[in-house]
């Protein structure tokens, strides 16, 4: 078994992982065992700067966070594709295939960049009050003309812009 | 070496590395308090031991004896698992980091590394990116508004900057042609023009990659100027608002262990790892690489603290725009230029 290269390189990693787990477990257990306990009602309520908590924390939050997670997967997959290519690029050049390797990957990066340009123009990367997507701009126009005669607050325009995505 | 000896050696090495890492974590906290203190015209810790050097031990003991509160409103299994996950992933990635060359006594020969995996860089990136689970789960399971907001912010920020971080390393991979961290260091041996060391930071425009890597790594470790997840003026303490005693300390341990991993990786990938002048008897020649490596790591940790003492915090939309609209295109441009230079250079 020790001659097996795979076991030889990954067994220490497993051992390290288990020891780290034991360490984390021991820390939690020790603190639970010897820490003193004197719970009161105020201590046991969710922290809200000393006020009585209002409502539940299971509230809705911005859809932006889901969007970032999806975009992350797209671009991380791109990075995963780039890694093996980066490793063999010098070998390809040595074999006289350098330009082939380069052009193949540049076509791929080009396609990814088109998608990147699209999400940028759509405003998926905007978190503030800037409005760049046409849809959001339309909603803003509607808010401006169809709303009350008063000019809406800049914040309200921003909120409308966010919802238009 | 038979399998029993191999396992025993591995356990000893792992225990040693974990001990050194946790000590380093404790003293990085001390260093940070001391340095930031002096930058703000204060003394920092001075009371416990000479120069406050025993402060980390005192803090550790205090954390153990503090009340370990588990409020009734949390989702208990994940609430307890989250700090454990954070610590486990933070200290595991150090396993593939090489600290120096080979160490030999008589017939016994072992590298200054727990294991030399041939995809070392991928292992580090993979394990550190799992760290986002600790943050996201603690934020959600605490069932408190501040924790939820902090956890959401932290996870969005960490995944966003991970892309720039991953892409910035492609240039280095093109130049080195290997994933093995030891191999990457060996690819940086020697000098060019007679005196400039062959480090990747000086070669093929990788200075840009170094800048992207360092910036993205600061965001990955949730450090100032990217410490939005625990922006105390808005979110109390972010994702660990509801934690106390050792569980709270474990998030800190994870943060500082991650800082040390980042510093190690930056030294290995861009600054030539443990290379440096070797002289003296053979035992000194074996140990000097460790010293050169630790000096680089210390330098990076100091810069971390320096930045913390200097820069204000970003606003959230600025943070996201900086990551997605500046660092990401810059990283892609850098890798395209590096590939062009490598292939077209005769």
């Amino acid at each position: 078994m020790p001659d097996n290269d795979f076991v030889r390189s990954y067994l220490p990693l497993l051992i390290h992982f288990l020891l780290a787990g034991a360490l984390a477990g021991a820390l939690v257990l020790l603190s639970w065992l010897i820490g003193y306990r004197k719970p009161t009602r105020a201590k046991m309520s969710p922290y809200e700067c000393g006020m009585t908590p209002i409502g539940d924390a299971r509230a809705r939050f911005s859809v932006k966070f889901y969007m970032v997670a999806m975009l992350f997967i797209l671009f991380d997959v791109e990075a995963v594709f780039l890694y093996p290519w980066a490793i063999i690029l010098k070998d390809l050049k040595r074999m006289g295939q350098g330009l082939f390797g380069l052009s193949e990957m540049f076509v791929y990066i080009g396609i990814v960049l088109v998608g990147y340009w699209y999400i940028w123009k759509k405003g998926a990367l905007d978190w503030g009050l800037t409005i760049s997507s046409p849809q959001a701009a339309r909603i803003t126009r509607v808010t401006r003309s169809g709303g009350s005669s008063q000019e809406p607050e800049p914040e309200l325009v921003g909120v409308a812009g966010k919802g238009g995505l | 070496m038979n399998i029993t000896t191999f396992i025993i050696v591995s356990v000893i090495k792992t225990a040693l590395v974990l001990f050194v890492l946790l000590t380093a974590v404790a003293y990085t906290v001390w260093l940070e308090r001391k340095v930031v203190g002096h930058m703000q015209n204060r003394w920092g810790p001075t009371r416990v031991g000479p120069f406050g050097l025993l402060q980390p031990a005192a803090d550790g003991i205090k954390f153990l004896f503090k009340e370990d509160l588990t409020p009734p409103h949390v989702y208990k299994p994940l609430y307890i698992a989250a700090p454990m996950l954070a610590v486990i992933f933070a200290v595991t990635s150090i396993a593939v980091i090489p600290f120096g060359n080979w160490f030999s006594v008589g017939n016994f020969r072992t590298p200054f590394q727990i294991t030399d995996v041939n995809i070392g860089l991928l292992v580090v990136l993979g394990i550190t990116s799992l760290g986002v689970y600790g943050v996201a789960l603690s934020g959600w399971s605490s069932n408190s508004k501040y924790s939820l907001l902090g956890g959401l912010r932290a996870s969005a920020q960490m995944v966003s900057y991970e892309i720039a971080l991953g892409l910035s390393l492609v240039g280095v991979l093109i130049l080195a042609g290997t994933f093995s961290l030891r191999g990457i260091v060996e690819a940086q041996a020697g000098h060019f023009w007679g005196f400039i060391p062959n480090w990747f930071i000086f070669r093929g425009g990788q200075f840009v990659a170094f800048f992207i890597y360092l910036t993205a790594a600061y965001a990955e470790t949730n450090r100032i100027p990217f410490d939005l997840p625990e922006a105390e003026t808005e979110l109390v303490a972010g994702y660990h608002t509801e934690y106390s005693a050792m569980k709270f300390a474990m998030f800190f341990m994870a943060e500082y262990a991650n800082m040390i991993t980042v510093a190690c990786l930056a030294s290995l990938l861009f600054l030539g790892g443990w290379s440096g002048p070797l002289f003296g008897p053979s035992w000194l020649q074996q140990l000097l690489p460790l010293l050169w490596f630790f000096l680089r790591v210390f330098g990076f940790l100091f810069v971390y603290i320096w930045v913390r003492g200097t820069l204000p915090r970003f606003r959230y939309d600025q943070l996201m725009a900086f990551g997605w609209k500046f660092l990401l295109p810059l990283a892609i441009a850098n890798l395209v230029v590096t590939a062009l230079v490598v292939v077209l250079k005769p």
Side-chain angles (χ1 to χ4, degrees):
Chain A
M1 198 157 93
D3 298 326
N4 188 332
D5 244 15
F6 186 78
V7 173
R8 208 174 250 281
S9 19
Y10 287 95
L11 190 62
L13 197 58
L14 180 69
I15 291 172
H16 191 109
F17 192 73
L18 293 178
L19 272 185
L23 173 83
L27 282 176
V28 168
L29 199 68
L30 261 181
S31 141
W32 181 71
L33 283 178
I34 61 181
Y36 95 129
R37 254 181 233 94
K38 204 174 169 194
T40 64
R41 210 164 65 86
K43 258 190 226 170
M44 285 302 180
S45 69
Y47 185 81
E48 256 170 54
C49 300
M51 312 292 280
T52 315
I54 303 167
D56 193 26
R58 297 276 173 265
R60 295 200 294 180
F61 47 83
S62 172
V63 70
K64 285 270 182 191
F65 290 106
Y66 295 99
M67 187 94 78
V68 164
M70 285 194 288
L71 294 178
F72 161 70
I73 290 177
L74 289 178
F75 282 91
D76 217 36
V77 167
E78 185 205 356
V80 169
F81 277 138
L82 283 169
Y83 279 166
W85 166 79
I87 294 294
I88 60 160
L89 187 65
K90 272 194 167 170
D91 294 336
L92 279 178
K93 189 192 172 194
R94 219 166 288 135
M95 296 187 312
Q97 301 277 309
L99 283 176
F100 168 71
L102 211 57
S103 53
E104 287 280 298
M105 199 35 95
F106 281 4
V107 169
Y108 174 68
I109 292 177
I111 294 171
V112 169
L113 282 181
V114 171
Y116 177 67
W117 177 76
Y118 176 74
I119 58 167
W120 187 325
K121 284 293 157 200
K122 266 292 184 190
L125 306 179
D126 296 323
W127 283 73
L129 300 174
T130 22
I131 297 158
S132 61
S133 83
Q135 209 182 356
R138 197 166 64 241
I139 286 170
T140 316
R141 271 200 304 280
V142 170
T143 321
R144 277 172 195 268
S145 58
S148 59
S149 55
Q150 286 170 335
E151 200 63 5
E153 299 286 317
E155 281 88 355
L156 289 178
V157 176
V159 170
K162 271 189 199 165
L165 184 77
Chain B
M1 212 189 310
N2 64 22
I3 190 73
T4 326
T5 334
F6 181 69
I7 290 178
I8 291 172
V9 168
S10 297
V11 169
I12 291 173
K13 275 206 279 191
T14 305
L16 200 66
V17 167
L18 279 181
F19 176 75
V20 171
L21 178 67
L22 291 181
T23 316
V25 164
Y27 278 93
T28 312
V29 178
W30 173 84
L31 186 77
E32 171 152 19
R33 293 176 64 180
K34 204 76 183 165
V35 170
V36 171
H38 279 272
M39 282 176 180
Q40 296 169 347
N41 221 353
R42 299 181 283 114
W43 280 109
T46 52
R47 295 304 168 98
V48 195
F51 307 106
L53 271 171
L54 294 177
Q55 186 72 41
D59 285 344
I61 294 167
K62 188 170 178 176
F63 273 128
L64 276 180
F65 283 98
K66 280 287 169 185
E67 181 169 7
D68 188 13
L69 213 61
T70 309
H73 53 86
V74 302
Y75 180 61
K76 223 171 161 186
L78 290 181
Y79 177 81
I80 296 172
M84 290 173 66
L85 287 179
V87 165
I88 290 174
F89 294 137
V91 301
T92 304
S93 49
I94 206 91
V96 294
I97 302 263
F99 304 105
N101 255 326
W102 288 79
F103 173 75
S104 55
V105 178
N107 262 339
F108 178 74
R109 203 171 125 84
T110 180
F112 279 117
Q113 184 178 18
I114 290 173
T115 170
D116 186 14
V117 185
N118 58 358
I119 51 164
L121 187 57
L122 280 187
V123 170
V124 175
L125 289 179
I127 294 175
T128 46
S129 65
L130 284 175
V132 73
Y133 279 107
V135 173
L137 290 180
S138 66
W140 181 81
S141 67
S142 291
N143 205 353
S144 154
K145 294 185 189 92
Y146 292 117
S147 303
L148 182 73
L149 288 174
L152 281 173
R153 276 186 179 191
S155 16
Q157 167 183 337
M158 283 164 88
V159 298
S160 296
Y161 278 78
E162 205 170 301
I163 298 166
L165 185 128
L167 288 177
S168 71
L169 300 182
V170 173
V172 169
L173 289 175
I174 291 175
L175 291 176
T178 173
F179 277 126
S180 156
L181 290 167
R182 198 165 275 277
I184 291 176
V185 170
E186 277 154 13
Q188 301 176 62
H191 298 78
F192 63 96
W193 297 349
F195 68 100
I196 303 179
N198 230 342
W199 300 345
F200 282 148
I201 187 173
F202 298 129
R203 277 170 57 189
Q206 294 311 303
F207 180 77
V208 179
F210 179 70
F211 164 74
I212 300 168
Y213 174 78
L214 219 56
T215 317
Y218 278 37
E220 282 287 297
T221 45
N222 299 329
R223 294 280 305 182
I224 286 180
F226 305 108
D227 70 331
L228 276 291
E230 39 193 304
E232 56 271 55
T233 43
E234 312 155 24
L235 290 180
V236 187
Y239 54 89
H240 47 51
T241 301
E242 296 287 328
Y243 283 89
S244 62
M246 209 58 194
K247 293 205 199 80
F248 174 76
M250 283 165 82
F251 282 111
F252 262 70
M253 282 165 57
E255 180 181 328
Y256 283 86
N258 277 329
M259 278 166 63
I260 291 173
T261 312
V262 163
C264 289
L265 214 53
S267 321
L268 291 172
L269 296 178
F270 294 102
L271 293 187
W274 54 82
S275 65
L278 299 179
F279 48 82
S282 70
W283 63 267
L284 192 64
Q285 294 208 2
Q286 283 186 10
L287 293 180
L288 270 177
L290 279 183
L291 177 68
W292 302 136
F293 185 68
F294 286 143
L295 277 181
R296 286 181 175 92
V297 171
F298 175 80
F300 277 111
L301 290 177
F302 184 79
V303 172
Y304 254 115
I305 297 165
W306 190 1
V307 166
R308 179 192 164 159
T310 310
L311 293 182
R313 186 180 296 132
F314 271 89
R315 214 172 54 206
Y316 202 70
D317 60 316
Q318 293 171 332
L319 169 95
M320 283 311 205
F322 186 67
W324 282 98
K325 294 183 176 174
F326 180 69
L327 285 186
L328 177 60
L330 195 63
I332 293 179
N334 172 65
L335 84 92
V336 165
V337 170
T338 311
L340 276 176
V341 168
V342 163
V343 170
L344 297 182
K345 202 173 70 178

